[in-house]
Structure formats: structure tokens, C-alpha cells
Amino acid sequence: MSKKNKKKRVDVVYSTNPDYEYDYEGESVEETLPPEEQNLKVRIEKKGRGGKTAVVVKGFIGSEDDLKDLAKTVKTKCGTGGSAKEGEIIIQGEMRNKVLEVLKKEGYNAKQAGG
């Protein structure tokens, strides 16, 4: 456990109970909305990526695990690499239309954003 997390403990300074679970501020598992209620924005970005093009999917509301599962599905169906973190899915390459198609087949409300 990092020092950063220790500072955010709520109501307890120390416990001798080995099974005690500390409560942390801001530690909430976000409920994942069903696909038809998600409004995802799909855009192409080059900035800050060493000149390489990437498709970024923003607007996902849900848990980090569900985000990673969706990213894995998109990466598999597009046949490319990428990552999922901080509420975004990043897909390598310039394949916005293919990503939009995959998301819509999965039942998500996805729209093209930006130019």
C-alpha cells in the first residue's frame, strides 16, 4: 500500500484486528450503465503520441473492469493493439469507422467526434 492511500483512510487510525478493512475516501465502484444508455464519443488523436495516430473512445460510464472488457472486444475485432485507462479506450491506428461499427454492433450509442 502506498503512502498516498494511507492518508485517505476514514475514521480509523490503527486497528489490531488482522481482518479489518480500512475505508478509503473516493473509493467507490461505479455502476456500469447498460450499452444502450452509454453515449460514447469516438475521435482520432495524434497529439502527444509521437506523431502516431490513435482512436480514442471517451464517455464510458462504469467500472474499470468493464472498460477493459470492452477495450479487449474492440481490439480483437479490429485486429490491433491499444489500452484502456482513466475512462478512455485507446486503439492504435486510424480506424475510427471500424471502431464505431464494432461499438454499434455491441449495442452502444457511439458517435464520431471531431473532424
Side-chain angles (χ1 to χ4, degrees):
M1 180 185 308
S2 68
K3 287 183 178 181
K4 194 175 191 179
N5 285 341
K6 285 183 179 182
K7 291 181 180 180
K8 293 184 179 184
R9 290 183 186 161
V10 179
D11 297 331
V12 176
V13 177
Y14 180 78
S15 175
T16 56
N17 181 353
D19 297 326
Y20 184 79
E21 297 275 333
Y22 288 105
D23 292 330
Y24 296 99
E25 287 180 356
E27 187 180 288
S28 63
V29 177
E30 195 168 351
E31 189 82 19
T32 302
L33 292 177
E36 57 276 356
E37 292 180 22
Q38 298 271 5
N39 291 314
L40 304 178
K41 303 285 186 220
V42 182
R43 62 182 304 151
I44 292 178
E45 288 186 5
K46 292 182 184 178
K47 206 172 204 177
R49 303 187 192 284
K52 295 188 169 129
T53 304
V55 176
V56 180
V57 180
K58 295 182 179 185
F60 184 83
I61 299 172
S63 70
E64 197 72 21
D65 290 337
D66 291 336
L67 178 70
K68 287 181 181 180
D69 289 342
L70 177 60
K72 184 175 182 178
T73 302
V74 173
K75 290 187 300 183
T76 302
K77 292 191 177 180
C78 289
T80 188
S83 65
K85 56 187 170 188
E86 299 174 7
E88 293 182 343
I89 298 172
I90 302 167
I91 303 295
Q92 297 172 352
E94 193 169 325
M95 48 181 55
R96 176 174 46 193
N97 294 336
K98 194 166 187 179
V99 171
L100 275 166
E101 184 181 309
V102 170
L103 289 171
K104 287 181 180 179
K105 280 184 182 177
E106 293 291 318
Y108 289 88
N109 291 328
K111 291 184 180 177
Q112 180 175 321

